[in-house]
Amino acid sequence: MKLQRKNGLRAAALGALAVSGALVLTACGSDNNSGGTGGSGESTSAASDIKCDGATGKLLASGSSAQKNAMDLWVKNYMAACTGVEVNYKSSSSGEGIVAFNQGTVGFAGSDSALKPDEVEESKKICQGGQGINLPMVGGPIAIGYNVPGVDKLNLDAATIAKIFNGKIKNWNDPAIAELNKDAELPDKAIQAFHRSEDSGTTQNLGKYLGATAKADWPYEAEKKWPAPGGQAASGSSGVAAQVKQNEGAIGYFELSYATSQSIPTVSIATGAATPVDATSENASKAIAAAKIKGTGKDLALELDYATKAEGAYPMVLVTYEVVCDTGNKAETLDTVKSFLTYTSSDEGQKVLSEAGYAPIPAEINAKVRETVAGLK
């Protein structure tokens, strides 16, 4: 992907922010999200632009836990506006969501990674006359949190991050870390690196970043299962964040909301830009604004530039997709799927998440999402 110029990138990011609101991926839980039903299928909120459009009954969905808090908000608002509809999103994992989708047990799935070719092929058995497609809906930064008392600001580059999680850098006063933090008093203390114990889209996206920027130090394929030797495992982003919070000398990766809610300091990444880039929603938006659509036809899978050196663009980002059939959706849930996803991709649906700190899908791409949702069959 070609890098955009600084000003163009900033303008695109600001445009995305204006349309979608600042959005931060929250993370991995296992709660179900459901609510009660009414009886008319009509909007009950005069102030809302949610269009129920004949939606009725129960819609089951499952998958990515990274978008759980987003779904919580969307489902609450949608069901308040559309009586007679129940939306139940089971927060599990991207892999479980795709399996459920390809078994035909859910109306759509959430996934932190686009469908693989074999998963698309399998989806054709469920999507009669069509196939599964990826609709980008939520984005945000993957933060690297640390616990080093006395070090309030920490800069790392991709190679150093890779060596830390690869077990090659073992102490906080290692020369490679000291070179990037000349004003910091780094302790002679062992590093405790924590990673996810279960398959995780967050792990996979971290791997994509390191693979694109530090291949010599991170020779692993970007998969959902943690690939490197050593380190310590914890369950879910919540578990990793808890371990970092509790253990001096710890470092780990998780969605930014965990760092924010628990006051865990986060690493600024030296990307090659003039100054290291902080992990913020706005800075993640600048990176996501440069995304290109790599999918074909109605598929809107994105290509992210993990190696960006654009000023203020935080490169370690994650985009979560909703996976649906382009053609061949079940007749009994089609209207509800279209109505609900029309809301989540709307200006209103994106803006309602602003206080949660998510990074927005760029306005131009989000417009294509709405167009695709309108044409689902």
Side-chain angles (χ1 to χ4, degrees):
M1 181 192 315
K2 294 182 179 179
L3 296 178
Q4 298 186 15
R5 295 179 181 175
K6 173 183 174 182
N7 290 340
L9 182 59
R10 181 169 297 164
L14 291 175
L17 281 166
V19 173
S20 304
L23 298 175
V24 165
L25 280 175
T26 61
C28 301
S30 58
D31 298 328
N32 292 353
N33 187 351
S34 61
T37 61
S40 68
E42 298 297 330
S43 174
T44 60
S45 174
S48 174
D49 292 331
I50 297 175
K51 295 179 172 60
C52 304
D53 291 335
T56 188
K58 187 173 185 177
L59 172 61
L60 298 179
S62 69
S64 166
S65 56
Q67 64 177 2
K68 177 187 181 297
N69 283 9
M71 278 292 170
D72 285 348
L73 289 169
W74 281 333
V75 168
K76 176 182 177 181
N77 292 344
Y78 181 79
M79 293 199 307
C82 299
T83 59
V85 183
E86 179 183 351
V87 179
N88 187 312
Y89 182 83
K90 180 183 179 182
S91 171
S92 52
S93 69
S94 299
E96 291 179 34
I98 296 304
V99 169
F101 178 77
N102 280 338
Q103 290 177 343
T105 60
V106 294
F108 70 89
S111 178
D112 302 338
S113 301
L115 291 168
K116 296 179 179 179
D118 61 323
E119 293 170 336
V120 173
E121 192 62 30
E122 188 178 356
S123 74
K124 294 178 181 179
K125 300 174 184 177
I126 297 300
C127 305
Q128 295 297 315
Q131 65 180 47
I133 58 172
N134 305 282
L135 302 177
M137 202 69 70
V138 183
I142 300 172
I144 297 182
Y146 66 96
N147 183 345
V148 184
V151 180
D152 298 325
K153 176 73 173 177
L154 184 67
N155 302 321
L156 297 176
D157 59 15
T160 306
I161 293 170
K163 291 174 184 176
I164 288 173
F165 283 106
N166 208 8
K168 300 296 179 64
I169 292 179
K170 302 179 182 296
N171 233 49
W172 278 109
N173 63 349
D174 187 277
I177 300 177
E179 179 64 25
L180 293 164
N181 299 274
K182 294 181 179 179
D183 296 331
E185 294 186 10
L186 298 167
D188 182 9
K189 189 174 187 64
I191 294 173
Q192 298 185 63
F194 287 90
H195 58 263
R196 293 281 291 275
S197 59
E198 74 283 6
D199 289 2
S200 162
T202 310
T203 295
Q204 186 173 37
N205 280 275
L206 172 67
K208 289 179 181 179
Y209 165 72
L210 294 176
T213 55
K215 188 65 176 177
D217 299 299
W218 193 259
Y220 311 106
E221 294 298 321
E223 298 293 344
K224 294 177 180 178
K225 184 177 181 62
W226 181 254
Q232 302 178 62
S235 178
S237 287
S238 58
V240 174
Q243 292 297 327
V244 172
K245 182 74 172 180
Q246 294 166 13
N247 293 281
E248 289 189 10
I251 190 169
Y253 60 93
F254 32 79
E255 292 79 8
L256 181 59
S257 63
Y258 283 95
T260 302
S261 64
Q262 299 188 46
S263 299
I264 299 172
T266 59
V267 167
S268 297
I269 298 181
T271 63
T275 58
V277 184
D278 297 339
T280 68
S281 299
E282 182 179 1
N283 290 344
S285 296
K286 294 174 184 177
I288 295 174
K292 303 294 184 183
I293 295 174
K294 67 177 182 179
T296 58
K298 295 181 179 179
D299 184 78
L300 299 179
L302 299 181
E303 180 180 359
L304 297 167
D305 184 8
Y306 293 102
T308 180
K309 296 179 181 178
E311 297 297 330
Y314 185 81
M316 200 183 307
V317 293
L318 183 153
V319 169
T320 294
Y321 300 93
E322 312 308 343
V323 176
V324 295
C325 296
D326 56 359
T327 297
N329 290 280
K330 292 182 179 179
E332 60 268 28
T333 57
L334 175 59
D335 286 344
T336 307
V337 168
K338 292 177 68 172
S339 172
F340 181 68
L341 296 183
T342 295
Y343 164 58
T344 63
S345 61
S346 69
D347 291 353
E348 181 182 352
Q350 294 280 297
K351 287 178 181 178
V352 77
L353 301 175
S354 60
E355 292 184 1
Y358 285 86
I361 301 302
E364 182 179 351
I365 295 173
N366 204 38
K368 294 182 182 296
V369 173
R370 291 195 291 266
E371 180 182 349
T372 302
V373 170
L376 297 179
K377 300 177 181 178

